[in-house]
Amino acid sequence: MNSLTIKNLSKTYANGVKALQNVSLDIPKGMFGLLGPNGAGKSTLMRTIATLQEADNGAIFLGKINIIKQKDELRQVLGYLPQQFGVYPKISAEALLNHFAVLKGMTNKSERKELVDTLLHKTNLYEVRKRNLGGYSGGMKQRFGIAQALLNSPKLLIVDEPTAGLDPTERNRFYNLLSEVGENTIVILSTHIVDDIKELCTNMAIINQGQVVLKGSPLKLIENLEGKVYQKTIKKQELDQYKQEYTVINEKLFLGKPIINILSESDPKNGFTSVPAGLEDVYFSQINNY
């Protein structure tokens, strides 16, 4: 089961929204980043792979498992942390993880305890295992979410928008945990946060309006833009004019003044300075439809 293959996957909702349009991806073992704005189709794709909803057409294979036809076989080797992961606030992490392990068919009590303890150590929750989940921080709840997703030693782990709302320290902890898991597993990380991908993933795809608009290695994609990104601080009222004259791929405010990044094959002069390309430039150059 060295790769997940998605072929020509499409999904149109009853209201006419084309959530997925002919999506094809080959996802190898390791960390794979799926990047795109909210509403781009990422969650639809994740839920379809996780057998939680049907596609209109297309095929998905995990090794020899035909995911669309063999849902139960896939579920046995799947770990899934959805975007909204709820916990029972009045139960301890240890008790709930044990309960989930029972539901997954682990009947041997001592083996179950060993597995639960191992996962609590792995997710750095062992010291607080007796505490009720209602008292956990956002980052701790997310790490508990990963612990439950790893109960069946999954071959495929899907993590949907995992770091939204986490502070930088908790985010780093979460990154470290995911990259450790990604050594032996296919991990799909779906996010709209560019840094999540840059830190972790060896391969990625950008999805927008239900279509894959770019795929490859983050480092290679950045390399392709090297020497083509220029920056300038401008006045607010000049922004529209610059957008007409240049390919503006990114704009941000610094001390109240807009800083724009543009894409240009040659030096645009006019006060622009060349800056190193980053993954944000790659992302916005695709999302802003240039």
Side-chain angles (χ1 to χ4, degrees), residues 7 31 35-36 45 51 55 62 68 76 81 85 103 105 117 125 129-130 132 143 151 167 188-189 204 226 233 273-274:
K7 288 181 184 168
M31 295 286 299
L35 192 57
L45 182 56
T51 73
L62 177 63
I68 287 168
Q76 284 165 19
L81 178 57
F85 176 70
L103 293 179
D117 285 354
L125 293 171
R129 67 192 184 282
K130 305 280 187 201
N132 281 0
R143 281 184 279 131
L151 272 169
D167 69 38
I188 304 177
L189 171 63
M204 66 174 281
E226 210 53 79
T233 304
T273 50
S274 176

Side-chain angles (χ1 to χ4, degrees), residues 18-20 34 37-46 207-210:
K18 292 180 176 178
L20 297 173
L34 189 66
N38 291 329
K42 301 188 305 296
S43 288
T44 301
L45 182 56
M46 298 296 94
I207 189 169
N208 194 25
Q209 295 173 347

Side-chain angles (χ1 to χ4, degrees), residues 32-187:
F32 185 91
L34 189 66
L35 192 57
N38 291 329
K42 301 188 305 296
S43 288
T44 301
L45 182 56
M46 298 296 94
R47 286 197 300 269
T48 307
I49 298 168
T51 73
L52 296 174
Q53 71 179 66
E54 300 282 342
D56 296 335
N57 46 50
I60 317 171
F61 287 89
L62 177 63
K64 289 183 178 150
I65 297 174
N66 179 335
I67 290 178
I68 287 168
K69 291 183 178 160
Q70 299 170 285
K71 291 184 172 62
D72 287 342
E73 285 89 334
L74 186 273
R75 286 167 189 160
Q76 284 165 19
V77 293
L78 172 74
Y80 183 50
L81 178 57
Q83 197 169 346
Q84 299 295 328
F85 176 70
V87 292
Y88 299 97
K90 292 189 165 66
I91 188 170
S92 74
E94 185 179 50
L96 188 55
L97 208 52
N98 182 63
H99 175 66
F100 283 148
V102 173
L103 293 179
K104 293 214 174 193
M106 293 169 201
T107 48
N108 183 310
K109 199 174 176 183
S110 61
E111 278 177 20
R112 199 167 64 232
K113 184 179 179 346
E114 194 179 321
L115 176 66
V116 166
D117 285 354
T118 302
L119 287 172
L120 288 167
H121 276 297
K122 192 172 198 168
T123 50
N124 204 16
L125 293 171
Y126 189 78
E127 302 300 315
V128 289
R129 67 192 184 282
K130 305 280 187 201
R131 194 191 295 179
N132 281 0
L133 287 158
Y136 273 21
S137 69
M140 289 156 82
K141 282 177 185 161
Q142 284 293 56
R143 281 184 279 131
F144 177 80
I146 286 289
Q148 64 79 28
L150 294 178
L151 272 169
N152 57 339
S153 305
K155 301 277 188 295
L156 170 65
L157 177 63
I158 294 174
V159 188
D160 198 358
E161 295 284 355
T163 63
L166 299 193
D167 69 38
T169 313
E170 289 187 321
R171 224 157 114 184
N172 282 339
R173 242 188 227 143
F174 197 78
Y175 286 156
N176 292 337
L177 176 59
L178 276 186
S179 56
E180 201 180 298
V181 174
E183 285 171 20
N184 303 305
T185 311
I186 298 167
V187 181

Side-chain angles (χ1 to χ4, degrees), residues 199-222:
E199 298 291 326
L200 287 171
C201 300
T202 40
N203 284 291
M204 66 174 281
I206 296 174
I207 189 169
N208 194 25
Q209 295 173 347
Q211 294 175 302
V212 174
V213 291
L214 193 67
K215 51 189 169 185
S217 137
L219 296 178
K220 282 263 164 59
L221 297 174
I222 290 169

